[in-house]
Amino acid sequence: MAGARSSLGYLKPYRRAVGAGVAMMVVTNLCALGVVSHLGQAIQAIKDSRAELMPHIVLLLIGFALATAVTRILSRVWIFNAARAAEYDLRSDLFGHLMTLSPGYYRDHPTGDVMSRLTNDVQTVRAMWGAGAVHLANAVTSFATVLTMMVLLDPVVAVLSIVPYPLIFITGQALSRRIYRTTREVQAELGGLSSRIQEDLGAIQVIKTYGLDQVRRRGFLAASQRLLDKNMAAAKVRVQLGPILNTLAPIGVAILILIGGRAVIHKEISVGYYTEFTALLARLVWPTLTLGFMLALVQRGRASWARLVELQAIRTDIPDGAGPALPASAQPAHVAVRDLTIRIGDRAIVDRVSFELEPGSITAIVGRTGSGKSTLVEALCRLIAVPPGAILLDGHDITAIPLASLRGQIGYAPQEAFLFSTTIADNVAMGYGGGTAIPAARARELERAGALAAAVDLSGEPRVNAAAVAAGLEKDLVVMPDGLATIVGERGITLSGGQRQRVALARALAAMPRLLVLDDSLSSVDAETEQLILGHLRAVMHGRTAVLISHRVAAIKDADQILVLDQGQIVERGSHEALLATGGLYSELYRTQLQTELGVTRKEAV
Amino acid sequence: MAVTAAGPIGPVGPRRPGLEAEAVLGKAYDVRLMGRLARYVVPHTRLLVAWGALMLVRTGFEIAQPLFVAYVLQHHIIGNSGRGVIEALPLDALAYIGLVIGQNLSSFFEQWLVQLAGQRTMHDLRIAIFDHVLAQRAAFFDRIPVGRLMTRMTNDIESLNEMFSQGAITIIGDVIKAVAIMVVLLASDIQLALVTFVTLPLLVVIVEYARRAMRTSFRQIRVRLAAMNGFAQEHLFGIRVVQLLGRGATAQREYNEINAGHRDAYLLQIRADAGMYALVEAIGYIAIGAVLWWASQHRLLPMAWMATVPAFAGLIPAAIGLVTRFNELIARFFEPIRDLSAKYAVMQGAMAASERIFQLLDTDELDGAVGDGDATKPDWDQPVPRKPDRSESAGPAVELAGVHFSYGAEPVLRGVDLRVPRGATIAVVGATGSGKSTVIKLLTRLYERDRGAIRIDGIDVRDIPLAALRRRVTVVSQDVILFAGTLEDNLTLGVPYTRDQIEAAVRRVGLDRALARRGAGIEAAVAERGANFSAGERQLVAFARALLRDPEILVLDEATAHVDPEAEELIERGVAELLKGRTTLVIAHRLSTIRNADLIIVLKKGQVIEQGKHDELVARGGDYAALERTFRRQTTSE
């Protein structure tokens, strides 16, 4: 992030726009002085009964007023646009950074918190840049120009009539601090209420079955009442600010009546000057009032900026490989795992594991829930940090291979299938980088023209079709409104768990990878469909190295080697028959149909 | 779902659950929504009446100031006879300060009152949403994410509250002030007032243009913001797949595109806002210029020599006083209009928030709505049922006959029959996904069965008021959720049991021994979700609280969580204590529980495939026999 210590680094590319905006603001305030000065001249002309001067004075007054408008529009547009442009850069940088963080980070940090930084905090920082800059520049130039003007008119009257302003500033600051404190208290109370709501909604079944509605309602009522009280305590301070500042500022006018009025009577200053003074004082009221508001904006902006810097400082624990990309090859991959240990916290999830995947072989990994199977295959794709030298792909250390190159070799279908909200075909095509990825703006145009579905329709792609068939999607596609062109997700249709898994499987197959990794990717698929897919898979796996995790005997019994994991260690390995004959953990798991079939599963340990 | 005319954004549009609803757009003033909101405001009418009165007082003080300044200039500084009255000035200054204090004092109370009315309304609305949400059936919570419900009760309420502090209500005050100023101007000098009003059509055109531009712009902004956040959220959720497929760069490109669309949507808003602010300010000056010019040509003596005639001498100060009065009043007239755009944004946000809130309040899937209990009332408004008379019993304590149920299109139960005689313990076993837990949910009517009958003492559960049903059937589930508070609160759950009763229950399930181990009593503090208690301890708390309720029918979903051997033993004892002489349906995971059951029912894929006593089923060598081996292995290995 450019200039992590100060957020102003982001405004740097737009310094010309901001500079021009501030310059315009100076011009605006000078023009405003012109208005005020001609107002005074007009009053003086009336006093002197010189009506013939009036058209000239009034025309100039209106001219200055129009100039004020034009320059003010320019200054606001330039500064606010610069702030928006800087916001764009900040957001874009953050999103890019978030895309580089490892899955491990997202396991430990709630998406809600990350999203809140990407949305709320960015907005707060932008408010500091835009509104903050405008108000600050306006306040400074207003005070500078008005004070200069007043001193030029009459130094004594000027000094006396601005006596209340330091007082206003001090009071404003003191009140701002109190506002900040009470607002924090409101935030805390609101946080308490939020967690209470979350607690209740999370425990809704208990509340319902135990008839706790009333008890919980009483508690909620009390919490809501406390929030109301805190809000009112904060409101009491907040609504003081305006009236107090509004009482202090007109003291200048009272002083002007006293001193300036006397000066007019003694003919020391003219009536025109007196009117000018009144108008000038009025011009100071608004910047004074916005000062407090601006201070709050800057304070909040800085707090948000700190949160963004914190996020930006996080580095992925899976750095890109520094070595050369793997040479292009159609041969099945060879994988060697040497004494691999993966720790999360102080627990070894994978514990001193060594094995080889021979090119073109099928390896099954079995074990109880929580035995480390998924972590092991995630390590193959470096979805989790692995120590250098522990895993070799075709003899190359995978931590040295660029991530894109490494993952390009692997087709991975996870148990929790994640689909993008686009068409099924698009989701599948993404497996080989063939997803449409129509830019959003173009997509909008197409959607308006009703041509979007046709544009993202990759259902004619032979590669997509073949993968869909191999993943056993045919049957489902027939009943879907648009077949492969059906859009999934909230806007489209909701797929069942099994269907999602199969789309994800099709995506992995469409990649035509050198190494195929199936992490229990048929767990939600019914037995008949599974049989069908397994039939296809044998053909698909031909000429590839494959690793599969499954609880189902049918899927694993033909594997070339079976690795049995227990508490992160390989406790048995061999073929199905050999393992059955030894009568160890595998035969135990097998006899009970590999646990899940009859299903006493334990809660996932990780 | 209320998708707006602005429409979707493309394949990368807002597709994450929850964001769709955020894209709902409101007008700045929606009469229908205002009407609904009014219902919550009405109880605080007295506050609003007081507020209105103070507002009028404040407006009076405020308008009096320019009049007074002009009066002082005319009568005391310039003086009617060409000579100022210097001795009047100190009193003038004080009087002016008096007017200022009067204005600000009433302004303080005015704002405070409107805040109070607003906060109380929001409090009422919060409670209304809470009541509404809690009265919904379980399926509602499967469908609507917790996050969205939270947003309704917190953020949306806050934006609605801003309407009170900065939006609609202050606009009423502004309008009244504007009208009052117009009346004073007209009363001061009809010609000059009309000259001032000549600028009004221009003002109306500008404000209307800006309003339209801002409406268009806000609509675009909201849709694009939702799209942008939806896109980001989807990619954060699917980060593994994004990285696996190497889509980081593509995602960045797409995100930048939406991001740019979001930035550009603001261009119009920025222009409209700046234009309105600056032009309204300028029109104010132009109005003043016009007044000055007109006054000089029509109110002043056209010839300078007339000023020398004493008879006309008083006319000049009069003219200056009049012009000054206009200057000051015009400035105050235009000020609130200048800031209208900020208020407009607040109103738009508030209307969108209330639209979402009312949408939630309109979603009605009341719990137990199918039955004869008065479904329009939440549970706690239901009449307290009479204690069931055992002699009336016309059937087994619990009976399921041919029950079918599916989640969406997925069948979970396919014709389940089950009878639990009074006082008996029935154990249900089966694989995950066999439908065991669903039986409990149907029995307590968290979900409604599709077909078949579920009866308690021969009465269909749908004919029993929900509150009564749930008082008779107590469920102890495997995920024991404790609430933040004290242990005692969690044991009594709001019912005033005596200390002796509580301690007896704690002793009977062995919770006292567990507590002694950590050196705590029932006053112990419980963290959110019971995080400071182990799984085993939480189980015992759940047993004790079930024992206190002394239910007619107990449903126990045994936990499968790991506990240490000592806790295991405690729990086993606790279960035995709980089941003693009670009609019990238990989803069993413990061999000891299953062995002691009067009848074992084996569920597979939503159907009862075997039933009988433990020894019979083991002897049969079917599915149960296989399951039993797993149980045994687990029990011995742990």
Side-chain angles (χ1 to χ4, degrees), chain A residues 29 33 141-151 280-281 283-284:
Chain A
N29 277 294
L33 290 185
T141 47
S142 295
F143 270 99
T145 52
V146 167
L147 289 183
T148 313
M149 185 79 172
M150 289 210 292
V151 170
L280 286 170
L281 280 178
R283 287 200 53 78
L284 284 186

Side-chain angles (χ1 to χ4, degrees), chain B residues 174-235:
Chain B
D174 291 344
V175 168
I176 289 178
K177 187 163 102 181
V179 171
I181 288 176
M182 284 167 79
V183 169
V184 173
L185 290 182
L186 281 169
S188 303
D189 188 304
I190 292 184
Q191 275 190 26
L192 282 185
L194 292 178
V195 168
T196 311
F197 298 158
V198 162
T199 57
L200 287 187
L202 194 57
L203 191 69
V204 170
V205 168
I206 288 171
V207 169
E208 179 60 17
Y209 172 79
R211 194 185 64 82
R212 284 192 189 178
M214 270 186 265
R215 194 178 57 193
T216 314
S217 171
F218 278 133
R219 177 167 296 165
Q220 272 190 356
I221 289 166
R222 281 197 93 86
V223 171
R224 291 185 185 177
L225 186 68
M228 185 165 67
N229 292 344
F231 184 88
Q233 199 163 356
E234 175 166 299
H235 281 73

Side-chain angles (χ1 to χ4, degrees), chain A residues 54 72 84 92 96 99 101 119 199 208 210 213 217 221 224 368 378 412 421 443-444 447 490-491, chain B residues 8-11 15-17 20 123 131 134 136 234 240 243 252 256 266 281 296 470 475 484 633:
Chain A
M54 284 309 271
R72 194 184 286 289
R84 287 286 167 191
S92 176
M99 287 295 106
L101 294 183
T119 54
E199 186 175 33
K208 286 193 169 295
Y210 277 74
D213 315 59
R217 184 180 192 268
L221 206 71
S224 177
R368 293 202 194 89
E378 280 173 7
Y412 173 77
S421 38
R444 262 195 307 280
E447 181 144 27
E490 191 167 330
R491 284 289 176 84
Chain B
I9 271 258
R15 301 262 168 66
R16 278 276 139 213
E20 195 77 342
H123 173 72
D131 285 351
L134 245 62
Q136 303 302 305
E234 175 166 299
R240 284 158 46 105
Q243 294 185 347
Q252 175 90 68
N256 283 355
Y266 272 101
E281 193 181 38
S296 69
R470 290 175 182 166
V475 180
R633 193 183 169 279

Side-chain angles (χ1 to χ4, degrees), chain B residues 73 213 248 250 255 333 424 438 476 486 563 599 604 619:
Chain B
L73 181 63
T250 317
Y255 183 78
F333 178 76
T438 310
V476 177
T486 68
V563 288
L599 183 72
K604 188 174 180 180

